Amino acid sequence: MVGEVRPVIWIGSSRKDLRGLPQEVRRDIGQALYTAQQGSTDPAAKPLKGFGGTRVMEIVERDRSGTYRAVYTAQFADAIYVLHVFQKKSKRGIATPKQDVDLIRRRLVEAERDYKERNI
């Protein structure tokens, strides 16, 4: 896979949600996703807790308007699936809100199904 750039597949409203973020945040998330497409991990990306190691990654970006997150999986050999993009609004702690974790889990199942259908 050296030299190849894997395509990004957007699950649910993730692409639309990314487009609604501030320009600088979009650029930084886009750079981190491009790094993932090339088979590496951007310094802004870290494993999302509760998903078993590096199976699901989270990109955290901050600007003066808040904290933004993009969640993706690179577990498939020939694609990056973006599962969720959102602004973290909770003022308590750094944990990802339960409703967002539940949505990420549903979209991960959808990504796995999509991947299997593409590779039949």
Side-chain angles (χ1 to χ4, degrees), residues 7-103:
V8 171
I9 298 171
W10 304 87
I11 301 294
S13 63
S14 58
R15 187 175 204 165
K16 179 177 132 280
D17 296 338
L18 179 66
R19 288 180 174 158
L21 302 185
Q23 183 176 358
E24 188 172 322
V25 172
R26 284 194 321 259
R27 185 188 68 232
D28 293 344
I29 289 173
Q31 180 60 49
L33 289 174
Y34 183 67
T35 300
Q37 286 179 275
Q38 295 175 310
S40 297
T41 302
D42 191 89
K46 63 181 181 182
L48 182 59
K49 291 180 180 160
F51 287 88
T54 59
R55 189 170 153 216
V56 175
M57 301 296 288
E58 174 182 49
I59 302 164
V60 178
E61 290 297 331
R62 293 173 182 85
D63 82 346
R64 66 184 174 278
S65 65
T67 300
Y68 301 89
R69 296 181 179 189
V71 178
Y72 71 92
T73 183
Q75 71 183 17
F76 307 111
D78 53 357
I80 303 296
Y81 283 83
V82 179
L83 306 173
H84 190 31
V85 177
F86 62 104
Q87 180 177 8
K88 176 143 180 347
K89 295 182 180 175
S90 171
K91 300 297 182 199
R92 281 187 259 146
I94 61 171
T96 304
K98 182 182 179 336
Q99 67 190 33
D100 289 305
V101 171
D102 292 345
L103 179 61

